[in-house]
Amino acid sequence: MITVFVGCGQKSDSSVAVSSGAGDPSSADTAVAVQLNWYPEAEHGGVYQAFADGTYQQAGLDVEVRPGGRATPVAPELQLGRVQFAMANADDVVVYRREGMDIVAVMAVMQDSPRCILVREDSGVKDFAGLSGMTLQRQAGRSFLEFMRSKGVLDNVREVPYHGSVSSLIADPTIAVQAYSFAEPLVARQQGVEVRTLMVSDLGWNPYSSVLITSGKMIREQPDLVRRFVAATRIGWQHYLTDPAAGNAAIMDANRHGMTPEALDFGSSELRPLALPGEMSIDNIGDMSIDRWTQLVDQMEEMDPASVGKVKPEQCFTTEFLDGR
């Protein structure tokens, strides 16, 4: 049995229990809790797929997923031992380690970042330079914003809080919003507004996304559990990228924030080339390299010289739990 929560924090009457349909439900499986960094969406598809097709249960894991939101304390939940695993982005890992938290990435699903700035087609904005004079709804404090700022593209942009919706952009062509390329664009188009995505990776900011993280303590004290969970999650992602139907159905059961089947179908389709760019084999899903982590740490140190030397790239991740690495 796997339990999918529809809100952060403690278990409530609104939780959704989904039978994996595999194994003996009375067996004593190892309990594992996973904290998501956002509401259940396609970016978490492999986790939900592993629930739905019984992969976790076949690995002897009784998995509880805790959806996130705009202010989910992902790293503290890991540090306090309230969860064993969580989802984040690679730049979050660098920030956590700067803050003295022993957080380690164990697999990275999206090799290319889906981070973009969404604008209306009729706004006249065709590139980042065109954002001058616009209002950008964004989540303050994110590293991609600091990178954009370091490139000067936010010099004449008014920044206001982002509330997880494209409604303001729908109403006003002078509004731009932070977005993921496989999510918000479809929502806007469904409301009759054509949009353009300005990919932040085109500026040179391309950290791994949908990164599975754990604590250094877990790696040292329970390496077998880490290995089992990573292996099952990788299989879940391989299945999701091949046929996302079961995973998307589980996401729909867990999401209470306006998710639609059409949005999930779009998301899972758009996500695939981000997870498997070029000719990358699905067998290598989740892989990471020291070169990519070094580039990311260097970029973040350039934005914040006071942080130079605080984080070593090789401490941010490990590939020891990825089969064949």
Side-chain angles (χ1 to χ4, degrees), residues 45-113:
V47 175
Y48 283 96
Q49 183 80 25
F51 292 157
D53 65 15
T55 298
Y56 283 140
Q57 193 166 13
Q58 289 169 6
L61 301 171
D62 180 10
V63 179
E64 169 197 326
V65 174
R66 301 178 183 179
R70 285 186 289 273
T72 304
V74 172
E77 290 294 285
L78 282 172
Q79 286 289 97
L80 293 170
R82 292 174 178 162
V83 299
Q84 288 72 47
F85 299 92
M87 299 295 292
N89 293 321
D91 51 300
D92 296 322
V93 175
V94 178
V95 171
Y96 298 152
R97 296 195 68 86
R98 274 184 189 172
E99 295 172 349
M101 290 181 277
D102 188 12
I103 303 300
V104 183
V106 289
M107 67 174 288
V109 177
M110 281 186 270
Q111 301 293 308
D112 289 335
S113 172

Side-chain angles (χ1 to χ4, degrees), residues 143-160:
S143 298
F144 78 90
L145 292 167
E146 294 305 316
F147 186 82
M148 292 176 64
R149 200 167 285 117
S150 74
K151 299 298 182 182
V153 298
L154 297 182
D155 286 352
N156 298 305
V157 175
R158 177 174 174 257
E159 298 181 44
V160 298

Side-chain angles (χ1 to χ4, degrees), residues 229-243:
F229 188 79
V230 170
T233 302
R234 288 186 73 230
I235 292 171
W237 274 107
Q238 289 167 348
H239 291 174
Y240 185 76
L241 293 173
T242 301
D243 181 359

Side-chain angles (χ1 to χ4, degrees), residues 68-289:
R70 285 186 289 273
T72 304
V74 172
E77 290 294 285
L78 282 172
Q79 286 289 97
L80 293 170
R82 292 174 178 162
V83 299
Q84 288 72 47
F85 299 92
M87 299 295 292
N89 293 321
D91 51 300
D92 296 322
V93 175
V94 178
V95 171
Y96 298 152
R97 296 195 68 86
R98 274 184 189 172
E99 295 172 349
M101 290 181 277
D102 188 12
I103 303 300
V104 183
V106 289
M107 67 174 288
V109 177
M110 281 186 270
Q111 301 293 308
D112 289 335
S113 172
R115 177 63 64 192
C116 66
I117 302 301
L118 196 67
V119 297
R120 286 174 48 153
E121 284 278 5
D122 61 5
S123 68
V125 177
K126 299 185 183 301
D127 53 28
F128 284 100
L131 290 175
S132 180
M134 297 280 283
T135 296
L136 172 63
Q137 292 189 343
R138 84 294 180 262
Q139 188 178 9
R142 300 308 302 270
S143 298
F144 78 90
L145 292 167
E146 294 305 316
F147 186 82
M148 292 176 64
R149 200 167 285 117
S150 74
K151 299 298 182 182
V153 298
L154 297 182
D155 286 352
N156 298 305
V157 175
R158 177 174 174 257
E159 298 181 44
V160 298
Y162 172 66
H163 300 293
S165 168
V166 299
S167 57
S168 295
L169 175 144
I170 299 300
D172 186 348
T174 69
I175 297 290
V177 299
Q178 70 174 55
Y180 269 6
S181 60
F182 59 77
E184 287 85 358
L186 179 66
V187 176
R189 291 170 185 140
Q190 286 178 327
Q191 297 184 49
V193 174
E194 288 301 315
V195 292
R196 177 178 289 112
T197 56
L198 305 178
M199 300 303 298
V200 181
S201 59
D202 290 342
L203 295 173
W205 179 256
N206 193 29
Y208 296 119
S209 297
S210 287
V211 176
L212 182 66
I213 60 177
T214 189
S215 67
K217 181 179 180 181
M218 275 287 299
I219 289 174
R220 291 186 296 272
E221 297 182 358
Q222 299 188 66
D224 180 65
L225 176 57
V226 177
R227 189 176 304 279
R228 288 161 57 201
F229 188 79
V230 170
T233 302
R234 288 186 73 230
I235 292 171
W237 274 107
Q238 289 167 348
H239 291 174
Y240 185 76
L241 293 173
T242 301
D243 181 359
N248 283 348
I251 292 172
M252 285 298 300
D253 284 342
N255 189 295
R256 296 292 182 269
H257 297 274
M259 180 55 64
T260 66
E262 293 79 12
L264 278 177
D265 287 344
F266 175 81
S268 53
S269 174
E270 295 292 309
L271 184 148
R272 196 177 197 281
L274 298 173
L276 300 171
E279 297 182 1
M280 181 176 174
S281 169
I282 199 168
D283 292 334
N284 295 329
I285 190 73
D287 207 1
M288 300 175 286
S289 74

